[in-house]
């Protein structure tokens, strides 16, 4: 065979194997060395391609797409620093447990470490931030090469989508020439299929959990951000059966679509409640059970470390279970599934007065949060108004820093079909726009909104380049307080010297021209009373940018006023 024929068979075998193992989408950034694979993907009908010229943004776009679809997404770039630009999103995918299949084209072995252009050391480039990494052989006629490729792809994709999900990396070297013969039919593989099983606890673990629950008089459940694809019906069934207070983070999506018979057990205002010393003294628990990641709330973390429950059971799909508080006493290796309702034999032995104390606190906090909109005009009131006004069947992607904290405070339980998502693996503000755009493509049947601060928006404004290559539909809501608002709540704000230069970091930028550049409908809101003009107007274009001006100082004052009102009534 000619070199071109060999290369053609090689790249189409890769594409066929990726599709066979469940990859339906690929995000491609342009580059020379990745040409053969880019051609193979683009000419294959069974895979959907997305384009983004900025590799850093492309990787976050793929991350968002994988989060939305709960499926592995491939990501392709050329050699050199293009691959390094994937790193931030790969770190997020690692800690957020998102399945990415990272394909980096590379120079052939003879051009590595000899001063060849656009050649860096790409072997295990991402270190321990990927679940697995493999350096592929150069395309050749050896009979072992294609079977090796086929089975390594099966291994890699299945590693990526085995609990806990995560990214894997294939480094693929190519020699020139880089052109292939286009083919309409993909090759038939010799490797047929692979199967994985549900991750269920051992009988011993089930017995321990049941015995602990049945002996508990004071206890609560914590539910943080859950693994992709979690079926929430099993948690609702568990909550009905247990009838304990359930501290539900906004990212768990158990504050929305709440069944009527479970609503009384949902504690959504725990962050505000646990700022009160008097309240904390009455809700010390003997037993805590946590599903998912540790919630955003700093005050919940402090409460757990101060009280050290006798039994703290973490249920997680990863043997490297998450416990930043170092208070866990037991770990159960399992995914959330039918075992919670079919095999777990439990009874409700909880102290009624303990449950009532949580419920009364929740009632008080909800009342003040609901009326916050009427007496304040800070970012918290804006967030509450946005939540109330979003249409049914909406997705809200939220930036880290203050937006996610305001969502966690102001999103109260509702039967509304609203779901909330964020990048909380590494908790960074980078790549938020790109992730949200990718996410919007994975859930096209829902309205997509992004809530983001001005610095996070500036950090990832290149994300909007993707809208030039594929149709996107999203409303971006920028809370522009001219700087880093979260630092106003931290100890750095007490040191006036250098505060604005190092932490506030104002830019004095406005974003109307950005909207014009990308043909976005632009809405500017300078007064709280103008919010209705955003919600009352029909969308004019698929892309919409809403810029809301706020004041950092007012935000801190208004938030503190809310907490004081809640605490004053709690302590009566």
């Amino acid at each position: 065979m000619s070199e071109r024929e060999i290369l053609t068979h090689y790249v189409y075998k890769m594409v066929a194997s990726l599709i066979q193992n469940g990859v339906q989408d690929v995000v491609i950034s342009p580059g020379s060395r990745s040409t053969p694979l880019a051609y193979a993907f683009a000419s294959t009908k069974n895979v959907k391609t997305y384009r983004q010229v900025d590799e850093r943004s492309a990787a976050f776009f793929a991350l968002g797409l994988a989060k939305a679809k709960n499926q592995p997404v491939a990501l392709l770039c050329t050699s050199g620093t293009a691959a390094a630009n994937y790193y931030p999103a790969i770190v997020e995918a690692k800690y957020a447990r998102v399945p990415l299949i990272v394909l980096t084209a590379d120079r052939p072995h003879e051009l590595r470490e000899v001063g060849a252009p656009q050649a860096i050391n790409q072997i295990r480039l991402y270190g321990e931030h990927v679940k697995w990494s493999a350096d592929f052989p150069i395309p050749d006629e050896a009979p072992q090469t294609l079977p090796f490729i086929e089975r390594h792809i099966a291994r890699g994709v299945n590693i990526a989508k085995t609990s806990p999900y995560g990214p894997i990396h294939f480094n693929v070297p190519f020699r020139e020439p880089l052109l292939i013969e286009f083919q309409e039919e993909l090759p038939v593989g010799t490797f047929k299929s692979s199967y994985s099983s549900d991750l269920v606890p051992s009988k011993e673990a089930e017995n321990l959990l049941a015995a602990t629950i049945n002996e508990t008089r004071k206890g609560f459940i914590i539910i943080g951000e859950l693994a992709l694809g979690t079926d929430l019906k099993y948690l609702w069934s568990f909550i009905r059966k247990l009838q304990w207070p359930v501290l539900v983070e906004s990212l768990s999506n158990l504050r929305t679509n709440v069944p009527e018979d479970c609503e009384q057990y949902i504690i959504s205002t725990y962050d505000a409640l646990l700022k009160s010393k008097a309240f904390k003294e009455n809700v010390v628990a003997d037993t805590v059970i946590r599903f998912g990641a540790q919630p955003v709330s700093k005050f919940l973390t402090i409460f757990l470390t101060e009280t050290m429950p006798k039994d703290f059971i973490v249920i997680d799909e990863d043997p490297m279970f998450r416990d930043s508080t170092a208070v866990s006493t037991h770990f159960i290796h399992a995914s959330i599934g039918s075992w919670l309702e079919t095999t777990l034999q439990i009874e409700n032995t909880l102290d009624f007065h303990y449950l009532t104390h949580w419920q009364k606190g929740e009632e008080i906090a909800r009342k003040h949060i609901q009326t916050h909109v009427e007496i304040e005009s800070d970012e918290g009131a804006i967030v509450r108004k946005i939540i109330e006004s979003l249409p049914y069947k909406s997705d809200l992607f939220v930036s880290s820093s203050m937006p996610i904290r305001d969502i966690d405070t102001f999103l109260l339980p509702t039967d509304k079909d609203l779901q909330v998502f964020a990048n909380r693996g590494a908790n960074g503000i980078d790549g938020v726009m790109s992730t949200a755009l990718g996410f919007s493509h994975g859930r096209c049947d829902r309205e997509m909104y992004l809530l983001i601060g001005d610095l996070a928006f500036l950090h990832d404004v290149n994300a909007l380049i993707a809208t030039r290559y594929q149709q996107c539909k999203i409303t971006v809501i920028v809370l522009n307080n001219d700087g880093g608002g979260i630092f106003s709540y931290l100890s750095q704000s007490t040191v006036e010297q250098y505060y604005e230069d190092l932490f506030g970091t104002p830019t004095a930028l406005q974003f109307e021209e950005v909207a014009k550049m990308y043909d976005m409908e632009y809405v500017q809101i300078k007064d709280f009373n103008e919010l209705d003009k955003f919600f009352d107007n029909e969308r004019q274009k698929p892309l919409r940018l809403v810029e809301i001006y706020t004041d950092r100082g007012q935000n801190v004052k208004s938030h503190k006023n809310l907490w004081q009102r809640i605490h004053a009534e709690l302590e009566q």
Side-chain angles (χ1 to χ4, degrees), residues 322-340:
R322 295 163 288 194
D323 179 20
S324 60
T325 59
V327 298
S328 60
T329 59
H330 301 83
F331 164 64
I332 296 177
H333 189 204
S335 297
I336 293 167
S338 59
W339 64 274
L340 280 170

Side-chain angles (χ1 to χ4, degrees), residues 42 59 285 332 337 415 452 497 547:
I332 296 177
D415 60 0
I452 191 169
Q497 188 179 21
E547 186 171 11

Side-chain angles (χ1 to χ4, degrees), residues 250-251 296 398-408 422 424:
S250 54
L251 293 178
V296 171
V398 186
S399 177
S400 290
S401 201
M402 276 310 297
I404 186 59
R405 286 168 172 81
D406 276 338
I407 287 292
D408 208 46
R424 294 299 294 176

Side-chain angles (χ1 to χ4, degrees), residues 213 216 219-221 242-246 265 287 289 348 350 355:
I213 290 171
T216 296
F220 59 84
I221 305 168
L242 204 60
Q243 299 178 16
W244 284 15
V246 187
Y265 305 113
T287 301
I289 303 169
N348 178 17
L350 199 73
L355 172 62

